[in-house]
Amino acid sequence: MIIVKDLHKTFENNHVLKGVSYHVHQGEKIVIVGPSGSGKSTFLRCLNLLETPTSGEIWFDGQLITDEKVNIDRIRQHMGMVFQNFNLFNNHTIMDNITLAPVKLKLMSKEEASEKALTLLDRVGLREKADAYPSQLSGGQKQRIAIVRSLAMNPRVMLFDEPTSALDPEMVGEVLAVMKELAETGMTMVVVTHEMGFAREVGTKVLFMDEGRIMEENTPAEFFANPRCDRLKEFLSKVL
Ligand code: ADP
Ligand code: MG
């Protein structure tokens, strides 16, 4: 579904991604871990072109999306993204947050979008918040809404960048539970997280990024039981 070939990203003279190549197949749950500053967010943001790669290729569903002529908005429609800090529109109700984009992009009528929103809100147990504003929600609730908002676009893949890092500890579980349920529906997911339990339980593959490269890739069982490179051993000794 996604093919990344020799991806490089440089900010001014900071060479952040130093040749990342990777394939994501449909239905996979790729979990990316690694130290802060290793390029995890930059990698995710390149996947949906929130950052423009300096060089390299990204293919999505057979289309070369790093091509200049590509319609970036069309690509992003199919790639949901959930950020650490929710990024909800604070001056809009939850219902509007979920329905504005699909209606504006003419993917659905207002009625269809509202109906879909209610179904999704039910799925995450927040139907009664449809008319509330983001400021009236807890962090965990906001993040569940952010996930619903992405899902309302019927994405082909969901990208998560540390979705639980900004949450109070007691709210982490409710967000991970929604992500786990989503994984069970067969959604293709790429998740940057520090939640090693999630990586172990939900990941089909776990990647270790360090200094702009994928240093190691393995099944969760092997990744945690038999880390090969010293950097990963050291990283795991700190986080586990
Ligand atoms: P991680 O998500 O693994 O913590 P990031 O991808 O956020 O790492 O950052 C990797 C490096 O890229 C850092 O040195 C960071 O300062 C730099 N960086 C990220 N985004 C930008 C940006 N928009 N402009 C300049 N430098 C950036
Ligand atoms: Mg990051």
Side-chain angles (χ1 to χ4, degrees):
M1 181 181 275
I2 305 174
I3 300 173
V4 180
K5 286 187 192 167
D6 199 26
L7 179 67
H8 287 257
K9 177 67 184 177
T10 302
F11 293 106
E12 314 246 309
N13 46 20
N14 186 4
H15 196 176
V16 173
L17 297 180
K18 299 173 182 166
V20 176
S21 297
Y22 200 69
H23 289 206
V24 180
H25 300 98
Q26 182 158 1
E28 279 192 303
K29 331 293 168 195
I30 307 300
V31 179
I32 304 174
V33 306
S36 170
S38 56
K40 305 181 299 296
S41 295
T42 303
F43 177 57
L44 268 197
R45 294 167 62 83
C46 280
L47 287 185
N48 70 353
L49 304 174
L50 281 177
E51 299 289 357
T52 309
T54 306
S55 67
E57 292 182 356
I58 302 173
W59 295 77
F60 177 52
D61 273 340
Q63 189 182 10
L64 180 64
I65 64 171
T66 39
D67 190 300
E68 291 170 359
K69 283 166 291 196
V70 131
N71 180 338
I72 295 182
D73 295 327
R74 279 278 290 283
I75 303 299
R76 288 207 194 113
Q77 270 174 36
H78 300 292
M79 291 189 171
M81 179 134 181
V82 174
F83 303 87
Q84 189 171 335
N85 293 314
F86 327 124
N87 289 16
L88 296 176
F89 310 120
N90 289 320
N91 53 340
H92 285 286
T93 63
I94 298 308
M95 179 54 85
D96 283 351
N97 263 278
I98 301 167
T99 58
L100 281 174
V103 172
K104 188 163 178 226
L105 294 167
K106 298 195 164 60
L107 301 177
M108 297 171 207
S109 69
K110 195 152 197 271
E111 292 67 35
E112 284 170 323
S114 303
E115 203 170 305
K116 172 137 191 131
L118 289 174
T119 307
L120 287 167
L121 284 170
D122 267 337
R123 230 166 95 182
V124 301
L126 291 173
R127 183 190 257 258
E128 80 280 3
K129 300 295 184 190
D131 298 320
Y133 283 83
S135 61
Q136 297 168 300
L137 270 52
S138 71
Q141 291 172 332
K142 279 188 224 178
Q143 197 58 302
R144 283 185 280 160
I145 297 297
I147 294 171
V148 162
R149 183 176 59 173
S150 285
L151 291 177
M153 303 282 287
N154 291 320
R156 297 260 296 133
V157 56
M158 285 284 288
L159 312 175
F160 292 87
D161 192 1
E162 297 198 27
T164 60
S165 295
L167 300 176
D168 291 333
E170 73 270 23
M171 293 172 187
V172 170
E174 67 197 55
V175 172
L176 293 179
V178 166
M179 291 168 63
K180 198 172 157 194
E181 229 178 80
L182 181 61
E184 284 161 5
T185 69
M187 178 63 77
T188 307
M189 297 164 66
V190 182
V191 183
V192 173
T193 186
H194 295 298
E195 294 292 331
M196 298 300 147
F198 180 87
R200 207 188 283 264
E201 228 185 304
V202 179
T204 52
K205 288 279 167 58
V206 187
L207 310 187
F208 176 59
M209 271 193 84
D210 193 28
E211 297 186 356
R213 292 192 177 87
I214 296 173
M215 300 292 285
E216 194 149 333
E217 183 229 25
N218 222 326
T219 60
E222 283 298 308
F223 186 91
F224 292 107
N226 297 310
R228 293 183 294 248
C229 72
D230 289 340
R231 295 277 186 106
L232 176 56
K233 286 177 194 164
E234 188 195 334
F235 178 77
L236 290 177
S237 74
K238 285 182 195 151
V239 297
L240 290 180

